[in-house]
Amino acid sequence: MSFINYASREINCKIVYYGPGLCGKTTNLQYIYNKTANDAKGKMISLATETERTLFFDFLPLALGEIRGFKTRFHLYTVPGQVFYDASRKLILKGVDGVVFVADSQEARLDANIESLENLKDNLAEQGFNIEKIPFVIQYNKRDLPDLTSVDELSKLLNERKVPELEASAMTGEGVFETLKAAAKLVLNDLKKGG
Amino acid sequence: MFGPQSSLVMYDEEYQRILSILEKMLRESNSKVIFLVDKNGQLIAATGETANLDTTSLASLTAGNIAATGGLAKLIGEKEFSILFHEGEKDNIHISIVGGRVILVVIFDQRSSLGLVRLRVKKTSLDLAGVFEDLAKKAMAQIAAAGTASASPFAEITDDDIDNLFN
């Protein structure tokens, strides 16, 4: 749910990175944080455990620039991926404008991806959203590692809706900004329609 | 007040009304900082000693805090916990839900007291709820007038506008 502020001429949108545990959601945000100019980003907040697993969420505010005289800000959030944090995951989806599903391309994580996507569907529905309609992008992450599922197969299993899909390696940064751009585009186009 | 997928729209007139309500509360409660946050973590307005404060992060964490506490409330069969209070060595934070939709956050130190803050929050909440009701009516009127929800200033943007953001 975007926030259009005519008083400060700002528009704020919320994008949530979703996906199974250790798929690279936090790494996506860290890369964006590291590669963004200081004046375009706020502080990155990570509510994580001592072993650096996301406990509640990561948060990164980004200012992208102006459109038609309105400052465009995106608030990026990640959810905790581990299965047992489902109650927290639901909360982060409140008021979301767009979702990036980060899939772990490693063969061994195929089932985890499918399970997480089902979980996303359920949790979005619980917040009153339809996964068939919400701005949605899929990132096939970790393409630099061995023992991968092919993109064709991942696409067949995870991308029924045929939304934009991108290959990435969040550790090296490949595909990270492309993913964000694809998601931001869909969110802004949705706003254009008055969504 | 609003559906889950509708945008929150803030107009200059209501923004100024909100700001003057918050400024009045700041004076009358002797607090340091007051801000208003949407339940999704968007900062709506802030007043007081905000210069050295990361209000964006505060807004996001406050909303996360309210969301987590709301989850706890539901687990024990409560609708919500409408007031949260965090006591620190010097500064304290009083958080309350206004009109079911927005969050009023008051940061205060020994120059004020919990009792005074609670008293002023009650009055301020009523005033703010009035503004948000007006805002909701305005939004409904806009939608009715336009026939759709496309009162957005973004109705006219092009793909090029969006691409330019990333250059």
Side-chain angles (χ1 to χ4, degrees):
Chain A
M1 198 222 52
S2 53
F3 173 31
I4 303 171
N5 192 336
Y6 284 89
S8 54
R9 300 199 73 75
E10 274 180 20
I11 174 123
N12 291 294
C13 304
K14 176 173 177 177
I15 294 179
V16 173
Y17 283 69
Y18 209 94
L22 294 175
C23 69
K25 301 174 287 296
T26 301
T27 312
N28 262 275
L29 255 65
Q30 276 166 346
Y31 186 82
I32 294 167
Y33 179 79
N34 290 334
K35 294 289 174 191
T36 305
N38 281 336
D39 57 350
K41 69 185 174 192
K43 215 165 151 187
M44 177 163 166
I45 291 176
S46 287
L47 302 178
T49 66
E50 283 179 0
T51 53
E52 293 191 6
R53 301 297 303 270
T54 303
L55 180 62
F56 194 5
F57 59 80
D58 304 301
F59 168 68
L60 174 59
L62 279 186
L64 282 188
E66 289 196 3
I67 288 190
R68 306 273 158 137
F70 275 75
K71 279 177 232 147
T72 312
R73 293 181 198 278
F74 282 87
H75 289 179
L76 310 184
Y77 285 83
T78 67
V79 298
Q82 294 178 84
V83 175
F84 55 88
Y85 287 137
D86 198 39
S88 308
R89 246 188 324 270
K90 286 178 194 173
L91 300 176
I92 312 301
L93 286 175
K94 279 188 180 178
V96 67
D97 293 300
V99 178
V100 173
F101 185 82
V102 182
D104 188 331
S105 299
Q106 297 176 99
E107 262 173 26
R109 298 297 285 163
L110 192 56
D111 288 346
N113 290 325
I114 294 168
E115 194 184 333
S116 177
L117 187 63
E118 282 302 316
N119 176 256
L120 170 63
K121 267 181 210 168
D122 294 346
N123 286 344
L124 277 174
E126 217 170 286
Q127 302 291 345
F129 297 106
N130 182 346
I131 198 169
E132 297 295 324
K133 293 199 177 132
I134 194 162
F136 188 46
V137 170
I138 301 181
Q139 179 188 75
Y140 304 122
N141 193 20
K142 307 198 186 183
R143 297 311 296 177
D144 54 326
L145 296 187
D147 300 323
L148 300 179
T149 309
S150 72
V151 169
D152 280 352
E153 192 173 352
L154 283 168
S155 183
K156 222 178 277 167
L157 290 166
L158 303 173
N159 195 5
E160 271 178 38
R161 195 182 140 192
K162 301 286 171 236
V163 295
E165 49 188 7
L166 299 105
E167 293 184 46
S169 163
M171 285 297 267
T172 61
E174 200 184 319
V176 169
F177 275 99
E178 288 79 357
T179 306
L180 172 64
K181 186 176 172 179
K185 232 176 169 171
L186 291 182
V187 168
L188 291 170
N189 268 319
D190 208 46
L191 269 178
K192 186 174 158 181
K193 286 182 252 159
Chain B
M1 191 188 291
F2 299 87
Q5 280 138 320
S6 64
S7 295
L8 171 63
V9 179
M10 177 65 63
Y11 299 98
D12 204 33
E13 183 193 343
E14 281 74 15
Y15 178 75
Q16 295 305 337
R17 277 170 69 193
I18 287 170
L19 212 54
S20 72
I21 292 170
L22 297 187
E23 280 164 0
K24 183 166 171 255
M25 156 107 197
L26 189 80
R27 283 193 307 272
E28 292 181 347
S29 65
N30 275 337
S31 40
K32 283 175 79 173
V33 181
I34 300 180
F35 56 96
L36 199 63
V37 182
D38 159 71
K39 265 194 172 177
N40 302 317
Q42 318 273 17
L43 181 71
I44 297 172
T47 184
E49 301 165 29
T50 54
N52 295 315
L53 213 55
D54 181 352
T55 44
T56 310
S57 297
L58 265 168
S60 156
L61 287 173
T62 305
N65 199 342
I66 281 285
T69 321
L72 281 176
K74 283 206 180 70
L75 285 179
I76 65 161
E78 278 290 327
K79 189 171 148 267
E80 65 184 10
F81 294 124
S82 53
I83 292 177
L84 305 180
F85 176 58
H86 302 302
E87 190 176 314
E89 276 182 17
K90 286 191 213 125
D91 291 338
N92 314 296
I93 303 186
H94 185 283
I95 302 172
S96 54
I97 301 175
V98 176
R101 167 67 187 267
V102 291
I103 306 167
L104 177 65
V105 184
V106 184
I107 303 178
F108 65 96
D109 58 17
Q110 79 288 349
R111 287 173 290 175
S112 183
S113 69
L114 179 57
L116 180 61
V117 168
R118 288 193 68 154
L119 184 72
R120 297 300 180 208
V121 160
K122 263 191 190 165
K123 170 79 173 74
T124 304
S125 297
L126 285 177
D127 294 347
L128 287 173
V131 179
F132 280 93
E133 260 170 45
D134 290 348
L135 212 48
K137 276 185 207 148
K138 216 169 181 171
M140 294 299 281
Q142 287 269 1
I143 290 169
T148 62
S150 65
S152 142
F154 294 89
E156 307 284 312
I157 58 170
T158 61
D159 282 355
D160 284 346
D161 286 334
I162 297 173
D163 280 332
N164 285 338
L165 280 182
F166 288 88
N167 294 335

